[in-house]
Amino acid sequence: MKIRVIGGGLAGPEAALTAARLGCEVDLYEMRRMVNGTPHLTPAHQTTEFGELVCSNSLKSESPNTAPWLLKEEMRRFGSVLLKIADETAVPAGHALAVDRVEFSRRIEAAIEAEPRIRVFRKEVTSLDSDECTIVASGPLTSNALSQEILRITGSQHLAFYDSISPIVEADSIEMERVYFAARWDKGTADYINCPFTREEYDRFLDALLSAEAAQEKEWEKLDYFESCLPIEVLASRGRDTLRFGPMKPVGLTDPRTGKWPYAAVQLRKENLRADSYNLVGFQNHLKYGEQARILRLIPGLENAKFLRYGQIHRNTYICAPALLDESLRLRQQPNILFAGQISGVEGYTESIASGMLAGLYAARLAAGAEPIPVPRSTALGSLVHYITHSDAKDFQPANITFDLLEPLEEDLRKKIRDKKERRRIQCERTLAAFDAWNAAQLQNA
């Protein structure tokens, strides 16, 4: 039983480790590599390591009865390897699961090296064989050659949009007397650094941002951003208060020195356990580096900031999953080829790992000569897959896990239970029960 997995980001290693655990021999391909001592990378990656996190280091909320928590809880119950590694490499981040990105990648690499059923090939894949069980998890920066091959076998135009990367600042360069530690609404521990703005400071920052020079676009670029991950300059152009209701929202961030909320605030989150660097939460942008240095130093507390990384924009390629995939992530016309990760139409780290986990399971069953048992719609995993495989193909956009994707409660129950938190608790309870039943069936059919 042999499976080919293309991509060494998040979905690929999870798929490979899942399939190997189920008894399959796996060939794992990654095009990032060292050639004569020189790294061959993508425009967004900085290393050749598996599982490199190129944007935030957060896998979102760990608060019970939230949609991100629910998805992770299902993954933990199934035995997701990468989520286990994320738990082991977690750094303080209030009520979110954030990881030390260097240690996270290192442990993924170690897990793959320790698995005798996985062989790693550092080379670009440019062709797909419909007779070979293959998981395409090549990610948002799929090479041009592989993109053309996907286009050839699908016969359908796949789409592209641009995702973005937040800046990272050295901890020692933050003016600590100008900032304060707090978690929004005091949820979890106070692990975030908050940079408070007065109205005058906010207006000065906004004016500088609106007049900033964007990074030069290449001729082939069409900036079609993911609505949930917009650059700050795009948000700012929509109105003077847009940032105050988005990444600079001050609500729930009480300044202990004043007992009040600031007019606006920028939050900084730890990059690693040493706490020697912080990323600017939600501050992805498409500005020239010199402009970023000038404007970001207008943030209170960052007047003398040293930036380890500036914000960037990178291409994010994905297929039109509703037109192409079935509920077991297979191409309908080429059922030996599966898609997982961001190229399949899911958005976010956790969602990518989750789809890789499912693809590894489904591919293992295919390799064994059996039909996959798709995760039911009544689960969080199933709801995510249902979205990417049943949306309107004409207007399809990638999605994170949200309660909107889950099966709603019955109307009479929604009317009876007015409290939103209680409704969501019941919804999560039902969802996990459905997942446990499906997971038990997988064990019986293993």
Side-chain angles (χ1 to χ4, degrees):
M1 298 191 298
K2 180 170 282 190
I3 293 170
R4 184 167 68 152
V5 177
I6 304 170
L10 295 173
E14 179 70 30
L17 289 163
T18 299
R21 184 181 73 188
L22 295 172
C24 295
E25 299 292 325
V26 180
D27 289 344
L28 175 59
Y29 290 82
E30 170 53 49
M31 70 177 183
R32 288 175 293 134
R33 61 197 184 278
M34 299 294 293
V35 179
N36 297 325
T38 301
H40 283 229
L41 306 173
T42 72
H45 288 90
Q46 297 183 349
T47 76
T48 61
E49 297 170 358
F50 292 118
E52 180 185 339
L53 304 182
V54 301
C55 193
S56 162
N57 65 332
S58 173
L59 276 70
K60 297 185 181 175
S61 178
E62 281 283 72
S63 295
N65 302 324
T66 61
W69 168 85
L70 181 61
L71 183 66
K72 290 194 285 286
E73 184 63 20
E74 291 183 357
M75 294 165 66
R76 289 184 177 108
R77 294 184 183 196
F78 183 82
S80 166
V81 178
L82 264 64
L83 193 56
K84 181 175 183 292
I85 292 173
D87 288 334
E88 293 170 348
T89 59
V91 299
H95 62 285
L97 172 60
V99 302
D100 181 325
R101 67 177 77 218
V102 174
E103 184 65 11
F104 179 67
S105 292
R106 189 193 69 78
R107 293 204 190 188
I108 293 172
E109 192 105 18
I112 289 171
E113 289 177 355
E115 176 49 71
R117 294 191 178 96
I118 298 177
R119 294 192 306 168
V120 175
F121 295 88
R122 291 283 184 172
K123 59 187 294 188
E124 180 183 357
V125 175
T126 59
S127 63
L128 300 173
D129 185 348
S130 60
D131 293 328
E132 185 176 12
C133 188
T134 301
I135 298 172
V136 180
S138 47
L141 294 172
T142 297
S143 70
N144 290 334
L146 183 55
S147 294
Q148 288 301 312
E149 176 68 354
I150 293 169
L151 182 59
R152 181 190 69 79
I153 67 169
T154 61
S156 173
Q157 181 67 45
H158 63 284
L159 312 175
F161 69 101
Y162 284 72
D163 206 351
S164 27
I165 296 173
S166 294
I168 296 176
V169 63
E170 283 188 10
D172 289 345
S173 68
I174 301 170
E175 303 289 342
M176 299 305 293
E177 69 277 4
R178 297 269 281 141
V179 301
Y180 61 97
F181 282 88
R184 199 177 302 277
W185 299 116
D186 295 324
K187 287 186 176 181
T189 54
D191 299 316
Y192 289 81
I193 291 177
N194 297 275
C195 304
F197 286 73
T198 64
R199 180 165 189 163
E200 293 74 19
E201 289 168 335
Y202 177 80
D203 285 339
R204 184 165 60 251
F205 173 83
L206 190 67
D207 289 340
L209 180 61
L210 290 171
S211 63
E213 187 176 357
Q216 187 174 0
E217 297 177 27
K218 297 180 176 61
E219 290 183 2
W220 49 268
E221 286 185 332
K222 178 174 179 284
L223 297 180
D224 185 15
Y225 299 113
F226 180 45
E227 189 66 22
S228 296
C229 197
L230 292 173
I232 55 171
E233 67 272 18
V234 173
L235 287 171
S237 70
R238 296 182 174 184
R240 292 194 69 84
D241 285 328
T242 305
L243 287 174
R244 294 182 59 242
F245 288 91
M248 297 179 70
K249 181 171 64 177
V251 175
L253 296 175
T254 303
D255 187 335
R257 298 165 301 189
T258 65
K260 300 178 180 179
W261 299 342
Y263 185 75
V266 171
Q267 288 199 301
L268 310 181
R269 179 173 55 217
K270 289 179 185 176
E271 271 292 301
N272 53 45
L273 283 170
R274 296 187 304 277
D276 56 11
S277 60
Y278 284 77
N279 65 63
L280 279 66
V281 178
F283 255 57
Q284 57 275 354
N285 66 83
H286 189 47
L287 304 177
K288 287 188 173 182
Y289 288 175
E291 291 286 76
Q292 291 188 50
R294 177 178 65 88
I295 294 165
L296 296 178
R297 290 192 178 109
L298 294 175
I299 297 172
L302 301 188
E303 291 87 351
N304 299 303
K306 295 179 181 178
F307 291 96
L308 300 174
R309 183 182 74 187
Y310 289 108
Q312 300 174 40
I313 296 292
H314 64 88
R315 179 167 58 88
N316 190 341
T317 302
Y318 62 96
I319 63 171
C320 186
L324 300 172
L325 300 184
D326 67 13
E327 291 183 345
S328 51
L329 302 176
R330 296 181 294 179
L331 286 176
R332 295 190 183 105
Q333 303 303 319
Q334 306 276 2
N336 280 329
I337 299 176
L338 300 84
F339 281 78
Q342 285 188 253
I343 195 169
S344 71
V346 300
E347 174 65 26
Y349 295 152
T350 307
E351 291 85 345
S352 293
I353 297 170
S355 66
M357 183 185 78
L358 290 175
L361 168 66
Y362 297 153
R365 286 191 59 82
L366 287 171
E371 278 293 305
I373 305 173
V375 62
R377 166 80 168 88
S378 51
T379 65
L381 282 161
S383 295
L384 184 63
V385 173
H386 183 269
Y387 170 81
I388 68 169
T389 57
H390 289 81
S391 294
D392 183 350
K394 182 180 178 182
D395 300 315
F396 177 63
Q397 271 204 326
N400 307 105
I401 187 65
T402 64
F403 268 97
D404 290 343
L405 300 187
L406 301 181
E407 281 190 331
L409 295 174
E410 300 87 345
E411 186 176 356
D412 60 338
L413 190 57
R414 293 200 304 273
K415 290 180 179 179
K416 180 180 178 181
I417 303 174
R418 296 289 184 178
D419 184 73
K420 186 177 181 180
K421 289 184 178 180
E422 178 61 13
R423 290 201 303 266
R424 289 193 168 180
R425 186 196 66 78
I426 294 172
Q427 208 168 359
C428 287
E429 188 176 81
R430 288 186 177 185
T431 301
L432 289 174
F435 177 81
D436 288 342
W438 173 80
N439 198 20
Q442 301 304 307
L443 296 174
Q444 292 175 359
N445 289 277

